[in-house]
Amino acid sequence: MLRTPTGGAANGSAGQADRLVSIGSVITMLRDEFPEVTISKIRFLEAEGLVEPRRTPSGYRKFSTADVERLARVLRLQRDHYLPLKVIREQLDAIDRGDQIRIPAPTAHGESADTAPPQAAAGAEPAAPARVGRAELMAAVGADEEQLAAWEAYGLLAENPGGGFDQDALTVARLLADLGRFGLEPRHLRAMKAAADREAGLVEQVVAPLRRHRNPQTRAHAEATVKELAELSVRLHEALVQSALGVRLH
């Protein structure tokens, strides 16, 4: 049960329900169930459109009881069902419309059955294979053996230990091929790979304490945190590149 800043239950009288609270009070109300929640996390969920607190004339956020309950629902769906934010947003929108939704139990791999790719629906095309071979990858991205060898030589792409390339590698290969059409060679892209490795290291530092936590739910939450940090990292990288180009081109 959510707690009010004074320690009472969040589902108190109508007067309590109508009272708006600060973001710091929201953290206090959520912390018993979600000990890792932070102000930056709440701000991130707001930026993603998952909650819309009111604003004072001075610009301070003010949250209603409904806002806090909505945040708790989002955090539970992330922690217990590993749902991506896009799916969570769609489910919340459906609830707001009064639609009936079903939250499935997590599978053995921590993924909800309803998060399976759309291709799994009846009559849809089959899902892409988990791995592809060298010839399949080259055909998919329009590359030749020389290009693939260069990507591997510069550490931009690598086969899995058991052989073949996974879907992430296929995505990287497509982007490398697209950049190559603009004259960007593997030697030009080594800095991007090095930056990505450093960012991955930072993410690992952040989630390492969560993975070592005694609480199983907190350890499970580490994977959702990895995804969230990856999304933020990509957005920051995009914003920095656009900002740098804006400065240089104007």
Side-chain angles (χ1 to χ4, degrees):
M1 178 182 293
L2 297 178
R3 311 298 296 180
T4 66
T6 57
N11 58 347
S13 67
Q16 289 177 327
D18 294 336
R19 187 165 60 88
L20 300 178
V21 298
S22 67
I23 193 169
S25 296
V26 172
I27 297 298
T28 300
M29 296 166 72
L30 294 173
R31 187 161 285 157
D32 282 351
E33 184 176 357
F34 308 101
E36 307 299 332
V37 70
T38 62
I39 288 178
S40 62
K41 171 76 171 183
I42 302 301
R43 289 173 176 166
F44 171 74
L45 294 177
E46 179 190 357
E48 292 295 313
L50 291 160
V51 66
E52 296 181 2
R54 302 179 194 179
R55 293 274 187 164
T56 68
S58 302
Y60 291 102
R61 297 170 177 83
K62 290 295 182 179
F63 296 80
S64 67
T65 300
D67 291 329
V68 180
E69 293 289 353
R70 186 180 179 91
L71 285 168
R73 182 187 290 271
V74 170
L75 294 172
R76 289 188 195 105
L77 289 172
Q78 280 193 310
R79 180 194 64 195
D80 301 338
H81 301 277
Y82 305 89
L83 297 182
L85 294 181
K86 179 181 178 181
V87 174
I88 293 175
R89 188 184 304 110
E90 291 171 351
Q91 294 202 354
L92 292 177
D93 290 344
I95 292 173
D96 291 341
R97 294 192 303 268
D99 298 341
Q100 294 291 325
I101 65 169
R102 180 178 65 85
I103 304 296
T107 66
H109 297 287
E111 296 178 352
S112 295
D114 282 3
T115 62
Q119 293 87 345
E125 295 181 3
R131 293 187 183 183
V132 297
R134 298 180 70 83
E136 294 171 301
L137 181 137
M138 288 186 289
V141 305
D144 55 33
E145 182 62 44
E146 183 179 354
Q147 288 174 297
L148 178 53
W151 296 339
E152 292 175 317
Y154 281 93
L156 300 171
L157 202 65
E159 288 192 60
N160 286 283
F165 299 90
D166 60 22
Q167 292 304 303
D168 286 338
L170 184 57
T171 298
V172 170
R174 286 197 178 101
L175 293 170
L176 292 172
D178 289 340
L179 289 169
R181 296 184 184 100
F182 289 90
L184 292 174
E185 300 176 8
R187 60 189 176 88
H188 300 136
L189 304 175
R190 285 184 300 179
M192 291 187 182
K193 178 62 166 62
D197 289 341
R198 288 194 296 270
E199 290 173 17
L202 288 174
V203 171
E204 289 174 356
Q205 289 179 27
V206 172
V207 301
L210 300 180
R211 287 176 168 160
R212 293 194 299 265
H213 204 280
R214 295 173 60 184
N215 188 333
Q217 291 182 335
T218 301
R219 293 198 302 270
H221 183 59
E223 300 311 313
T225 302
V226 167
K227 293 179 182 178
E228 181 181 334
L229 289 173
E231 291 175 3
L232 287 170
S233 179
V234 169
R235 289 172 56 193
L236 175 60
H237 179 80
E238 180 183 6
L240 289 173
V241 171
Q242 289 180 346
S243 177
L245 288 174
V247 170
R248 294 181 184 184
L249 296 178
H250 293 86

